[in-house]
Amino acid sequence: MAAAMGRDPPGPAEDEAPGAAAAGAAAGREGGGEEGEGRARGGAEAGGCYLALCARPVHFEKANPVNCVFFDEANKQVFAVRSGGATGVVVKGLEDRNPISFRMEDKGEVKCIKFSLGNKILAVQRTLKSVDFLNFIPDSPQLEYTQECKTKNANILGFCWTSSTEIVFITDQGIEFYQVLPEKRSLKLLKNQSINVNWYMYCPESSVILLSTTVLGNVLQPFYFKSGTMAKLSKFEIELPAAPKSSKLSLSERDIAMATIYGQLYVLYLRHHSRTSNSTGAEVVLYHLPREGSCKKTHILKLNRTGKFALNVVDNLVVVHHQDTETSVIFDIKLKGEFDGSTTIHQFVLPPRSIQPYQIPVAGPASVTSQAPVPCKLYSSSWIVFQPDIIISASEGYLWSLQVKLEPVVNLLLDKGKLMDFLLQRKECKMVILSVCSQMLSEPERGSLSVIATVFDKLNNEYKKYLEAEQSYTMVVETGLSRSNPLLKRPVRTQAVIDQSDMYTHVLSVFTEKKEAPHKFTIAVLMEYIRSLNQFQIAVQHYLYELVIKTLVQHNLFYMLHQFLQYHVLSDSKPLACLLLSLESIYPPAHQLSLDMLKRLSTANDEIVEVLLSKHQVLAALRFIRGIGGHDSISARKFLDAAKQAEDEMLFYTIFRFFEQRNQRLRGNPSFTPGEHCEEHVTFFKQVFGEHALMKPTTF
Amino acid sequence: HHKMIMQILSAALETFPTALLSWTVWKCSACGRAQPEEKKILFYHPNEVEKNEKIRNVGLCEAIVQFTRTFSPTKPAKSLHTQKNRQFFHEPEENFWMVMVVRNPIIEKHKDGKPVYEYQEEELLDKVYSSVLQQCYSMYKLFNGTFLRAMEDGGVKVLKERLEKFFHRYLQTLHLQSCDLLDVFCGISFFPLDKMTYLKIQSFINRMEESLNIVKYTAFLYNDQLIWSGLEQDDMRILYKYLTTSLFPRHMEPELAGRDSPIRAEMPGNLQHYGRFLTGPLNLNDPETKCRFPKIFVNTDDTYEELHLIVYKAMSAAVCFMIDASIPPTLEFCRKLDSIVGPQLTVLASDICEQYNINKRISGAEKEPQFKFIYFNHMNLAEKSTIHMRKTPSVSLASVHPDLMKILGDINSDFSRVDEDEEIIVKAMSDYWVVGKKSDQRELYVILNQKNVNLIEVNEEVKKLCATQFNNIFFLD
């Protein structure tokens, strides 16, 4: 046996491509005519590579006659089974870094081997009729036990774990859903369903099994599994590119993939170019498979080329590898496409690029001769691709997860609006987005204001969505409605939420400090950001206003500032009012602007009085405080101090008299109490106006 | 600080309103070398006056100015009152004087069956006409630059030509009999707008300045009210006056008459829009059309900039683009401007209109204000009047009796004498009350017409007005 490496249903590649081992599995079926595509080599375009293999792959012993290798998509584990397990089984996963090793009795050729979720129970298929089980739970019986399939004369095509103790057998005549009882070393049939099955496919992320039925194989029947229940979803038909000539299986499992994209389950169908149709190349057709309702064809991804393809889904992007050109393209179904009334047609987002060149690390930690790392052959015919993002090189014994690199995208997607749409949907987007923002504000790639506005709007749209979700969550929690809604979760703040503080820290403050742009542009950018925040009804933070004011003041643009304040573009706040007060010495009208603002705040009456007193406008202060009815509680001493400092005797007299009258009204006596500490002022009053000028107590 | 003035106003008789008698610009000789009297005179209206009389009159003015200067070196004389007329002096630039002589209004009376003419010596307000004089200079300067610059450019000859060219036409547009308090303020009416629409306009202006990269300054108006000025305040003040009293009214009339249908779609592939040039080319499709724009001079104290004034309008929204005079705008540029600005300004104008109507409905401001008032803020020159009708090319008319307007002017004169906040309440004829309030840099004048109200009730009414109209500013009660 050349390579006992199989995709979940055993060895799809075995029937094809003599010589090139497992090539079919990697690249799908040969498409129609090879229309000479330029063979763009990866190396030449290394700068623009937006796809990469993960840096820490799983290394396993490559397949050979004594070592069989299996991959389990559910746990993302590679099993290396030596001599049927007798000389050892090594299980390595992308996530769990510590390999699991064990031995098992060699009871014949292993067809399929998988752990249940959480590595609790091992299931091994050695015959077409039964599956063997071995407990890996501490303190449970260690002896193997076996389950034969219930359906008479049926052959088991494979099995899938749907939880740590639930398993589904897929036979050529239907499916059997079992509960494993490890303590009893037995299985209990929960449900079964008879149906003719050509092949099956499992999507562990969504616990959906897809069965190919009918003679042509293009009627797909999905089943959904959840905690002991099995639900039959509505079946659907894949439209084949051309009417099949004979009634033989026409839909291969190699052309079908299942993946969750933006939280929704899709069936992806790689439709090859047919000479009869007028299509320009192969395409990927997406069928949306909802939990309820029928499956619908929703998207078509145009590949514009022919040949061998393989699919991955990474970060909600559909990646299509093309073996002939050794390049890959990506599609984002959230980006705008051409809608024809029922489906949306998408072109690839970025020009085709090779996966980033990869160096295989030299084995052995203590290698004496410092060997140069070996470049890895990309798009090799021995590659096998699994969903969503797994690439395995059977010949070299590596398992990688595929990654999308965002930095190179920036230079490939020149339309900044589209770039933002793209980046905002990616997981690790924050720093890239912020650097795009910085870049578009500075030479040599300065963007136009309308582009900048578009970008700000896109960022704030995302920011607002999060704020709203957060707000409604808080409201539900506060009103106590959360108990009746256990599904309610605090909204997740993704990296796409770029708030004002991010923009301030990483983009705007740096940009204004650099001072390389003309001040007109600087102010236009700040105003554009404020405009965008307002458009999304997001309250603008004070530090942004401060930045605007600082910039305007630096360039002596006071009249501009005045107009902004006049139209309340810079929203009222105490800190802003104080900032304005501090500008009074260089721009006198700032005083009026500040007082107006304090007045509107209606919570800053003390501040207004202080401002007026500091300007010796004692009478105005008194009139103001009387106007709002606060004159009975103010400190007489404070006003008398201010009146005295004003060096206006008549003013002092007026203020003094006012407080005498207040004393009379409140206490029936015009004189000040010792607690008011006005002795000094009484003395001064007597000095200037004479003892007789003091108000006489009126008695009734 | 309450003042109460009882004033009995005389019933109107047959009157002849005030009129312009003469207007002169001359250069003071005392400070330079003695020169022939006639050389001093740079402009004399009416030109028909005999040469010797011109010389005599200017000489007299100069003598008055020089004589009074001895008493007040820092504040030279501003006006001279005589029985028949009043003279106003203004020295806008060092040694350059402008003098305006106006005749006092005349009342025709009948004595023994014969008409007798009586000059009303106290009718005219000094502040109003001094302001008119000063603004005439500002207007001249806006379109011609300073006197000094003209002298430097080509000596007396050039200056004389410029003065002649400008004042010959401009003096005809002065309507001295209808000048009032608003001429003292020469304020700017701002269009009330919500923050979001304002920000949209900002964004529009910034993008236009970017696309039409030769634009140095932009101003934006709606309904003849200012929304944004990239120019400094003083320059904007006079440009605003030009736009609202001269340029816009000139274009308003054909619009009202429905003569030029603004919808245009003559350029194939062009978006339909309502944009058109108020200055510059009349027909963009005519390759021979002239792209000449008025030149204006701004920041004359400082950078002294000469600019082309492009005024472009779509519906009620008008934008002024000011570009450096050294770059003459070509037809190609005008077409580009039209194709970029036209569609966007059209959309923006309808946005503003819509938003304005929504805001009006929300605030319930649709109700006709019961109060007749004038408000002015010295800080931003904001002016608001419910007393005046819409400005037309001929005049801006007050809807109240001239005697009441005169009281407003008197109160204003009182205010300008002191720095402190003040309030003056005047009982005028036939149940009219006039209230003037000054708070910091703001002035408010209210005219009330209510029967049998006392001072306290009037005061309460004004408080109510302040609470509704001016609640968002710090305006002391």
Side-chain angles (χ1 to χ4, degrees):
Chain A
M1 164 163 194
M5 171 97 198
R7 176 199 274 244
D8 200 336
E14 283 150 27
D15 58 330
E16 205 179 309
R29 200 163 62 172
E30 196 84 26
E34 296 280 299
E35 280 135 9
E37 290 234 9
R39 287 175 73 90
R41 285 289 167 184
E45 286 149 305
C49 296
Y50 45 81
L51 290 167
L53 303 173
C54 69
R56 295 180 61 198
V58 175
H59 186 39
F60 55 87
E61 192 184 345
K62 49 189 148 183
N64 60 49
V66 289
N67 184 45
C68 296
V69 181
F70 299 90
F71 179 65
D72 168 23
E73 285 172 292
N75 291 322
K76 294 191 175 149
Q77 289 168 329
V78 182
F79 288 74
V81 183
R82 289 186 67 90
S83 323
T87 49
V89 178
V90 180
V91 186
K92 285 180 175 175
L94 260 180
E95 274 113 43
D96 32 85
R97 284 280 154 192
N98 295 325
I100 306 169
S101 307
F102 57 92
R103 280 168 205 280
M104 56 184 193
E105 215 180 310
D106 184 359
K107 291 181 180 171
E109 185 199 329
V110 172
K111 290 180 178 301
C112 186
I113 180 167
K114 288 171 187 176
F115 270 119
S116 73
L117 300 187
N119 304 333
K120 297 278 192 297
I121 303 162
L122 180 73
V124 188
Q125 188 195 350
R126 294 182 174 106
T127 71
L128 286 170
K129 300 291 177 193
S130 66
V131 178
D132 305 323
F133 294 88
L134 190 57
N135 292 341
F136 272 70
I137 308 163
D139 310 324
S140 64
Q142 298 296 305
L143 273 174
E144 271 193 19
Y145 45 106
T146 301
Q147 178 67 49
E148 280 192 20
C149 77
K150 295 267 193 227
T151 320
K152 291 262 153 54
N153 303 325
N155 288 332
I156 298 176
L157 301 177
F159 63 87
C160 329
W161 288 101
T162 59
S163 78
S164 58
T165 55
E166 284 158 358
I167 192 165
V168 182
F169 290 4
I170 298 98
T171 72
D172 51 4
Q173 289 174 36
I175 53 173
E176 298 168 6
F177 183 30
Y178 292 98
Q179 161 113 52
V180 185
L181 308 164
E183 295 79 18
K184 293 185 180 166
R185 298 179 50 241
S186 68
L187 279 78
K188 186 179 124 193
L189 182 69
L190 295 171
K191 211 154 187 192
N192 65 342
Q193 172 96 31
S194 289
I195 184 167
N196 281 324
V197 180
N198 302 310
W199 48 262
Y200 79 96
M201 188 166 282
Y202 179 50
C203 175
E205 254 180 302
S206 51
S207 298
V208 169
I209 290 175
L210 201 60
L211 305 179
S212 157
T213 68
T214 71
V215 181
L216 293 173
N218 66 331
V219 175
L220 301 181
Q221 173 62 62
F223 287 92
Y224 169 59
F225 298 88
K226 200 191 171 193
S227 49
T229 62
M230 174 178 103
K232 191 176 175 181
L233 307 180
S234 50
K235 64 180 176 192
F236 61 99
E237 191 179 327
I238 299 279
E239 291 167 40
L240 296 171
K245 286 167 207 107
S246 58
S247 42
K248 66 163 192 161
L249 191 61
S250 301
L251 181 68
S252 158
E253 64 165 317
R254 269 176 279 127
D255 295 334
I256 294 289
M258 264 199 293
T260 309
I261 306 170
Y262 294 117
Q264 296 295 315
L265 181 62
Y266 287 90
V267 172
L268 293 83
Y269 166 48
L270 178 64
R271 180 157 67 183
H272 294 282
H273 173 72
S274 82
R275 285 196 179 84
T276 50
S277 75
N278 52 5
S279 69
T280 53
E283 53 197 30
V284 176
V285 184
L286 266 62
Y287 292 82
H288 178 217
L289 190 52
R291 191 83 16 108
E292 276 160 36
S294 58
C295 182
K296 264 201 213 90
K297 184 167 117 177
T298 52
H299 300 273
I300 293 173
L301 317 179
K302 288 282 191 192
L303 300 177
N304 294 337
R305 42 173 69 185
T306 59
K308 288 177 183 171
F309 299 99
L311 300 177
N312 273 134
V313 172
V314 185
D315 205 357
N316 292 314
L317 295 168
V318 177
V319 182
V320 183
H321 307 289
H322 188 228
Q323 200 182 29
D324 305 28
T325 56
E326 294 185 7
T327 57
S328 308
V329 288
I330 54 175
F331 294 88
D332 185 347
I333 59 167
K334 274 236 175 134
L335 290 188
K336 237 182 153 168
E338 196 186 312
F339 188 64
D340 71 357
S342 62
T343 52
T344 312
I345 298 161
H346 296 266
Q347 305 295 335
F348 36 80
V349 184
L350 303 166
R353 286 289 186 272
S354 159
I355 294 170
Q356 200 176 334
Y358 187 84
Q359 311 277 330
I360 289 180
V362 179
S367 61
V368 186
T369 52
S370 58
Q371 260 179 288
V374 187
C376 174
K377 169 89 180 76
L378 303 175
Y379 300 90
S380 144
S381 55
S382 71
W383 274 18
I384 307 169
V385 172
F386 291 95
Q387 296 319 317
D389 59 351
I390 301 298
I391 292 175
I392 290 173
S393 169
S395 62
E396 282 156 323
Y398 281 99
L399 179 150
W400 295 279
S401 66
L402 187 65
Q403 295 170 334
V404 172
K405 298 259 171 221
L406 298 180
E407 286 84 4
V409 176
V410 174
N411 298 320
L412 291 173
L413 246 185
L414 296 178
D415 178 338
K416 290 277 188 292
K418 206 170 161 195
L419 175 65
M420 278 299 145
D421 287 339
F422 179 81
L423 291 177
L424 282 169
Q425 300 298 340
R426 310 283 76 86
K427 268 196 211 86
E428 308 271 326
C429 61
K430 188 176 212 150
M431 291 326 285
V432 180
I433 289 177
L434 290 170
S435 84
V436 170
C437 289
S438 288
Q439 190 193 326
M440 74 180 176
L441 297 183
S442 49
E443 297 294 357
E445 287 172 81
R446 211 171 88 184
S448 73
L449 285 173
S450 57
V451 166
I452 291 165
T454 309
V455 170
F456 287 166
D457 284 349
K458 289 188 188 291
L459 297 185
N460 289 329
N461 181 35
E462 211 59 38
Y463 177 25
K464 175 66 178 177
K465 272 197 269 176
Y466 169 73
L467 290 178
E468 266 176 354
E470 178 74 33
Q471 197 186 19
S472 56
Y473 170 79
T474 316
M475 236 171 64
V476 171
V477 169
E478 274 170 9
T479 51
L481 288 170
S482 55
R483 265 161 283 144
S484 59
N485 188 358
L487 287 175
L488 186 80
K489 275 193 205 127
R490 186 174 205 103
V492 182
R493 185 179 170 142
T494 66
Q495 286 208 5
V497 178
I498 306 231
D499 64 15
Q500 296 172 63
S501 135
D502 295 328
M503 283 300 280
Y504 177 84
T505 315
H506 298 279
V507 181
L508 297 174
S509 66
V510 185
F511 159 67
T512 47
E513 260 156 42
K514 264 199 285 181
K515 294 192 184 96
E516 59 161 29
H519 63 79
K520 233 182 190 179
F521 181 74
T522 309
I523 292 155
V525 167
L526 294 176
M527 291 314 287
E528 204 56 68
Y529 188 58
I530 289 174
R531 194 253 336 129
S532 181
L533 288 170
N534 272 287
Q535 194 150 308
F536 289 95
Q537 292 164 311
I538 301 168
V540 181
Q541 296 294 317
H542 174 69
Y543 45 75
L544 286 176
Y545 293 144
E546 218 168 85
L547 204 56
V548 172
I549 295 175
K550 218 171 77 187
T551 312
L552 291 170
V553 169
Q554 263 166 11
H555 296 96
N556 283 318
L557 299 168
F558 291 105
Y559 189 42
M560 239 184 224
L561 172 64
H562 201 130
Q563 294 182 70
F564 289 155
L565 289 161
Q566 197 177 319
Y567 280 95
H568 309 297
V569 165
L570 311 177
S571 305
D572 298 343
S573 73
K574 270 190 206 178
L576 191 54
C578 293
L579 182 59
L580 287 173
L581 273 182
S582 72
L583 293 177
E584 195 194 341
S585 58
I586 37 173
Y587 185 62
H591 173 73
Q592 190 191 64
L593 290 166
S594 170
L595 270 184
D596 290 350
M597 194 174 281
L598 290 170
K599 160 87 186 297
R600 285 192 297 267
L601 286 168
S602 78
T603 54
N605 295 331
D606 294 345
E607 282 84 351
I608 292 177
V609 170
E610 292 301 329
V611 169
L612 292 172
L613 288 182
S614 73
K615 306 225 93 196
H616 303 308
Q617 291 178 301
V618 191
L619 216 50
L622 201 55
R623 283 174 68 191
F624 170 75
I625 205 81
R626 196 181 58 185
I628 58 162
H631 53 293
D632 281 354
S633 52
I634 47 169
S635 150
R637 188 193 156 97
K638 189 196 265 180
F639 280 77
L640 288 168
D641 276 345
K644 204 173 158 205
Q645 274 164 27
E647 290 176 352
D648 177 344
E649 286 181 357
M650 268 326 289
L651 178 69
F652 186 80
Y653 182 91
T654 311
I655 302 294
F656 192 87
R657 183 64 89 222
F658 173 85
F659 284 107
E660 280 187 316
Q661 283 166 351
R662 184 180 83 167
N663 295 341
Q664 173 72 42
R665 188 162 44 79
L666 297 177
R667 294 195 299 269
N669 192 317
S671 57
F672 293 89
T673 63
E676 289 177 279
H677 303 290
C678 292
E679 295 79 10
E680 170 200 346
H681 299 293
V682 176
T683 314
F684 179 74
F685 185 86
K686 283 195 266 186
Q687 246 172 42
V688 179
F689 304 103
E691 181 109 37
H692 62 277
L694 285 172
M695 203 172 136
K696 307 281 177 297
T698 42
T699 43
F700 296 99
Chain B
H1 289 255
H2 290 251
K3 266 190 213 171
M4 168 85 175
I5 302 168
M6 291 291 286
Q7 191 153 347
I8 295 138
L9 295 159
S10 53
L13 294 164
E14 177 78 25
T15 59
F16 298 94
T18 181
L20 179 67
L21 290 181
S22 76
W23 182 285
T24 52
V25 182
W26 44 269
K27 197 170 186 303
C28 175
S29 59
C31 325
R33 283 171 288 114
Q35 50 182 327
E37 290 292 317
E38 56 178 297
K39 283 235 175 125
K40 280 202 277 197
I41 304 170
L42 302 168
F43 176 77
Y44 200 108
H45 167 88
N47 194 30
E48 302 77 48
V49 173
E50 195 263 327
K51 186 176 150 194
N52 282 327
E53 197 189 330
K54 282 182 185 171
I55 293 169
R56 255 201 323 277
N57 285 340
V58 167
L60 181 63
C61 286
E62 189 176 0
I64 293 163
V65 169
Q66 293 304 341
F67 173 69
T68 53
R69 212 194 272 272
T70 9
F71 302 103
S72 172
T74 50
K75 285 183 181 173
K78 283 198 168 150
S79 69
L80 176 69
H81 296 209
T82 64
Q83 187 205 1
K84 290 185 179 174
N85 60 38
R86 210 174 273 192
Q87 305 195 11
F88 297 92
F89 311 108
H90 179 43
E91 187 184 17
E93 292 175 40
E94 203 182 356
N95 297 330
F96 286 98
W97 285 85
M98 291 172 83
V99 179
M100 172 174 81
V101 184
V102 298
R103 195 196 61 214
N104 283 326
I106 304 169
I107 296 183
E108 184 185 341
K109 285 186 175 171
H110 293 270
K111 205 173 182 184
D112 309 326
K114 284 182 199 161
V116 178
Y117 299 101
E118 213 170 77
Y119 287 93
Q120 295 190 284
E121 292 172 51
E122 298 308 316
E123 269 310 285
L124 300 180
L125 289 164
D126 275 353
K127 270 200 85 180
V128 170
Y129 293 92
S130 301
S131 303
V132 168
L133 183 60
Q134 284 163 29
Q135 282 152 32
C136 283
Y137 169 74
S138 299
M139 195 64 86
Y140 167 86
K141 190 180 72 173
L142 178 69
F143 290 102
N144 296 280
T146 59
F147 295 158
L148 191 66
R149 210 32 101 92
M151 293 286 275
E152 287 166 7
D153 287 351
V156 179
K157 188 168 166 283
V158 165
L159 179 56
K160 274 185 169 176
E161 278 166 14
R162 286 185 189 169
L163 285 165
E164 176 65 34
K165 201 176 154 212
F166 178 80
F167 283 109
H168 176 72
R169 265 227 324 253
Y170 192 70
L171 292 182
Q172 292 171 18
T173 66
L174 289 180
H175 293 271
L176 292 179
Q177 69 274 22
S178 56
C179 289
D180 60 28
L181 186 57
L182 283 194
D183 293 282
V184 174
F185 296 145
C186 188
I188 294 170
S189 177
F190 286 93
F191 187 77
L193 206 57
D194 65 293
K195 174 162 58 170
M196 194 56 232
T197 316
Y198 185 81
L199 284 167
K200 270 194 208 166
I201 294 169
Q202 270 298 315
S203 174
F204 163 82
I205 293 165
N206 289 333
R207 272 182 287 124
M208 292 307 107
E209 287 191 357
E210 184 183 59
S211 319
L212 312 164
N213 55 5
I214 54 172
V215 172
K216 218 167 167 184
Y217 305 105
T218 307
F220 193 102
L221 296 95
Y222 189 85
N223 259 352
D224 295 3
Q225 291 173 298
L226 188 66
I227 291 177
W228 169 254
S229 164
L231 281 183
E232 286 303 311
Q233 200 179 47
D234 282 338
D235 290 322
M236 192 62 228
R237 175 187 229 170
I238 200 71
L239 177 63
Y240 179 79
K241 188 180 161 88
Y242 163 71
L243 294 171
T244 54
T245 61
S246 174
L247 185 71
F248 292 159
R250 266 209 314 272
H251 285 84
M252 183 58 76
E253 270 149 28
E255 257 174 44
L256 291 175
R259 252 177 279 149
D260 64 346
S261 166
I263 254 270
R264 314 166 322 152
E266 64 274 302
M267 294 243 249
N270 230 19
L271 274 168
Q272 275 214 350
H273 65 79
Y274 292 85
R276 67 204 174 96
F277 286 92
L278 296 196
T279 62
L282 292 170
N283 182 0
L284 289 173
N285 290 330
D286 176 7
E288 301 297 308
T289 193
K290 291 215 166 54
C291 294
R292 277 172 51 192
F293 294 92
K295 270 188 195 170
I296 59 168
F297 296 80
V298 299
N299 293 329
T300 49
D301 295 338
D302 184 13
T303 44
Y304 205 92
E305 293 157 69
E306 192 177 345
L307 309 164
H308 291 291
L309 174 67
I310 302 173
V311 185
Y312 189 86
K313 199 173 176 188
M315 303 202 276
S316 297
V319 208
C320 305
F321 294 112
M322 286 155 266
I323 64 176
D324 201 285
S326 60
I327 312 161
T330 58
L331 180 60
E332 193 192 349
F333 173 79
C334 293
R335 282 185 179 151
K336 181 183 170 195
L337 189 149
D338 184 64
S339 69
I340 295 174
V341 180
Q344 295 200 47
L345 188 61
T346 305
V347 173
L348 198 54
S350 61
D351 274 6
I352 298 169
C353 179
E354 194 181 326
Q355 201 54 48
Y356 175 65
N357 288 332
I358 292 171
N359 294 343
K360 221 163 63 175
R361 233 175 294 133
I362 293 168
S363 66
E366 274 167 321
K367 288 168 273 159
E368 183 72 7
Q370 298 158 280
F371 299 96
K372 289 193 181 297
F373 69 86
I374 294 177
Y375 163 86
F376 181 71
N377 182 357
H378 288 272
M379 284 287 131
N380 60 358
L381 309 180
E383 166 193 289
K384 203 170 174 182
S385 168
T386 59
I387 289 173
H388 292 78
M389 318 278 205
R390 220 188 147 74
K391 282 164 183 152
T392 66
S394 41
V395 333
S396 105
L397 273 180
S399 62
V400 296
H401 194 278
D403 290 342
L404 289 169
M405 289 310 294
K406 190 172 172 267
I407 298 175
L408 296 186
D410 283 332
I411 297 175
N412 170 259
S413 303
D414 277 357
F415 284 163
S416 54
R417 272 192 282 274
V418 276
D419 273 343
E420 275 164 59
D421 293 356
E422 271 197 356
E423 192 169 324
I424 297 173
I425 301 178
V426 181
K427 172 86 174 77
M429 81 291 189
S430 51
D431 298 315
Y432 275 108
W433 289 79
V434 179
V435 182
K437 272 167 76 90
K438 182 179 173 228
S439 171
D440 193 27
Q441 299 293 317
R442 296 178 163 110
E443 290 174 30
L444 174 68
Y445 302 86
V446 186
I447 298 174
L448 293 167
N449 186 13
Q450 280 177 41
K451 276 198 183 15
N452 306 322
V453 287
N454 60 30
L455 189 62
I456 292 164
E457 288 162 332
V458 168
N459 200 31
E460 283 304 311
E461 281 295 300
V462 175
K463 267 192 180 172
K464 239 191 272 171
L465 169 75
C466 291
T468 55
Q469 296 275 330
F470 304 105
N471 63 339
N472 61 346
I473 55 169
F474 185 79
F475 199 72
L476 273 179
D477 289 329

